[in-house]
Amino acid sequence: MNFRWRVAALSSLLLGLTVGLPYYAIAFFYDYWETTYGWSRGAIMLGLPLGTFVTLILGPLYVRRLSPRHSITGGSVLVAASLAGFGLMPPNLLVYYGLWILYMAGWTFAGPLAHQILLSRLFPEKPGPALALAYFGISLLGALSVVALARPLTLAYGFATALLILGGIVTVAVPLAHWGLPATKPDHHAKSKPAPVVRNRAFWLLLTGTTSSIAGIGGISQHLKLILREVNYPNQARLDTVYGLTVLLMLLTGSAGRFLFAWSINRFPKRAVLSGAFGLMVGSLPLLLVLDWSPDRVPYLFALLFGLGMSVDSLLLPLVAAEHFGSRSLAAVLAIIVPVNVVGQSWFPSLMSVLWSATGSYTVPLLVTFAFILAGRFLLAALPAPGVES
């Protein structure tokens, strides 16, 4: 394995530790906080968007001005500290929201943007396979985060201690990033003005299309356990088991699908590949409305279809952006689009909780999610061919 692919493999492990593991593990504890602390579902869901709002403006700007190694190392420290903090926190919402700010600051510096910049520099011609390998770590450790970590640790030690241990696991990313990633230079074009880019119609279609679809995916990911909870499983242990296996299947299928779509995009028309992926996602959502038909089977069928469909999501943005704007402008484009994507991904779950509170069920929130993902597909379908003046 040459140097570039070793870095891609390490990037996969780091993304798994700092993005996949905490993102899916934290969602496992929502119902525990709801029942233990008496917090409302809306208050719990507000943590992620508040953290995003506070870190949104400065974070992506500084990510581009730091070398990826320094950005990922520092961000890993913050993510680990936030997880440990969730385990130590008192039943105080202000402390809870402060920890979400810490978590999102870490996510901003250690998350996908820094890795996309790093790998796009190392693989300027065809970054797709390298990005697929890197994002495999998110799916793999995300899949294991509940069934192999959060659930058994909670069963053995309680949810607070489980969060402390998860924070300790994430600290492994700090030395790996510091000594394993190359000492690449910061982006010298970080201060370049993005005006020519934002005047491009393809930029706005890419921005709104990816944000719309990622918002829907984020809503499902954050609410999945709470959606399953409405099926009235006989006890907490059964709910935890079904949720853990659902996440496992969803993300492992997504991992396989990501390599499949990375291979397909280089061999078949992109529009056909993207249509197939979005079709699987949209087609799987009605299953969440009929979970009570077979509570022990339908969640797993949903996981297989939805996981395969969402697998193209993480590859879509960097590949299409590089194709339309070139590697020289890629960092500037991603620094605008990624934060907006994150806003959609973090605020949409809060909107779903508002709709759930207003209607008393997940029917309307899921229909709205369906509409968002479908709208994203139509917006991306309207992208002009690369090189076409827009």
Side-chain angles (χ1 to χ4, degrees):
M1 183 183 294
N2 64 31
F3 171 74
R4 295 191 305 168
W5 284 105
R6 285 199 300 271
V7 172
L10 178 57
S11 180
S12 178
L13 177 58
L14 292 171
L15 279 171
L17 287 168
T18 60
V19 177
L21 190 158
Y23 183 76
Y24 289 97
I26 290 174
F28 172 81
F29 297 101
Y30 286 161
D31 62 324
Y32 281 92
W33 292 332
E34 187 176 39
T35 56
T36 303
Y37 298 146
W39 294 343
S40 70
R41 195 165 298 185
I44 292 171
M45 287 294 174
L46 191 59
L48 178 58
L50 280 179
T52 302
F53 177 76
V54 173
T55 59
L56 176 66
I57 299 175
L58 295 179
L61 295 177
Y62 281 104
V63 170
R64 296 169 58 209
R65 287 169 170 78
L66 295 172
S67 72
R69 182 176 72 175
H70 291 148
S71 178
I72 294 166
T73 301
S76 300
V77 172
L78 299 180
V79 172
S82 66
L83 282 175
F86 283 127
L88 295 170
M89 69 178 177
N92 186 310
L93 281 172
L94 291 179
V95 174
Y96 173 72
Y97 294 144
L99 289 168
W100 270 110
I101 293 171
L102 186 67
Y103 167 77
M104 282 308 302
W107 186 94
T108 300
F109 285 97
L113 178 57
H115 291 272
Q116 287 172 356
I117 292 172
L118 174 63
L119 295 178
S120 294
R121 293 176 187 172
L122 293 177
F123 297 86
E125 298 300 325
K126 290 185 176 180
L131 289 168
L133 176 59
Y135 279 99
F136 173 74
I138 296 178
S139 297
L140 179 61
L141 286 187
L144 297 175
S145 64
V146 174
V147 72
L149 293 170
R151 179 180 171 273
L153 288 172
T154 299
L155 186 63
Y157 306 109
F159 73 88
T161 302
L163 281 160
L164 279 171
I165 296 173
L166 290 173
I169 293 172
V170 173
T171 60
V172 174
V174 178
L176 288 176
H178 183 71
W179 283 295
L181 293 178
T184 53
K185 295 180 181 180
D187 181 12
H188 294 298
H189 303 287
K191 296 181 180 179
S192 61
K193 296 182 179 180
V197 172
V198 300
R199 288 197 294 264
N200 191 314
R201 183 170 66 94
F203 169 83
W204 290 104
L205 288 170
L206 186 60
L207 174 71
T208 54
T210 56
T211 300
S212 182
S213 61
I214 286 173
I217 293 170
I220 295 297
S221 299
Q222 291 294 294
H223 279 269
L224 183 56
K225 190 179 186 184
L226 300 173
I227 293 170
L228 291 173
R229 189 180 181 188
E230 291 201 346
V231 180
N232 295 319
Y233 287 98
N235 52 54
Q236 182 73 50
R238 185 58 188 158
L239 171 62
D240 289 352
T241 299
V242 172
Y243 173 69
L245 291 175
T246 301
V247 170
L248 177 71
L249 283 174
M250 183 173 72
L251 295 182
L252 289 182
T253 304
S255 297
R258 191 165 291 119
F259 287 103
L260 173 64
F261 284 121
W263 177 84
S264 300
I265 282 173
N266 291 328
R267 291 165 176 80
F268 301 104
K270 271 194 186 66
R271 292 179 188 272
V273 174
L274 295 179
S275 295
F278 276 94
L280 287 170
M281 271 198 297
V282 171
S284 68
L285 291 180
L287 292 173
L288 293 178
L289 297 172
V290 293
L291 288 171
D292 55 351
W293 286 5
S294 181
D296 294 324
R297 294 180 181 179
V298 175
Y300 306 142
L301 177 58
F302 162 80
L304 292 172
L305 296 176
F306 187 79
L308 187 59
M310 77 173 188
S311 62
V312 75
D313 175 68
S314 56
L315 296 176
L316 176 65
L317 175 58
L319 290 177
V320 176
E323 190 176 56
H324 279 272
F325 306 106
S327 59
R328 183 180 178 87
S329 300
L330 182 62
V333 172
L334 293 179
I336 299 172
I337 296 180
V338 168
V340 178
N341 283 177
V342 174
V343 169
Q345 185 180 29
S346 60
W347 279 94
F348 190 80
S350 190
L351 171 63
M352 287 183 68
S353 68
V354 171
L355 294 173
W356 174 84
S357 297
T359 62
S361 78
Y362 272 105
T363 300
V364 172
L366 287 172
L367 291 174
V368 172
T369 302
F370 177 95
F372 264 72
I373 293 176
L374 201 58
R377 171 65 191 102
F378 285 122
L379 288 166
L380 292 171
L383 277 166
V388 175
E389 189 65 35
S390 54

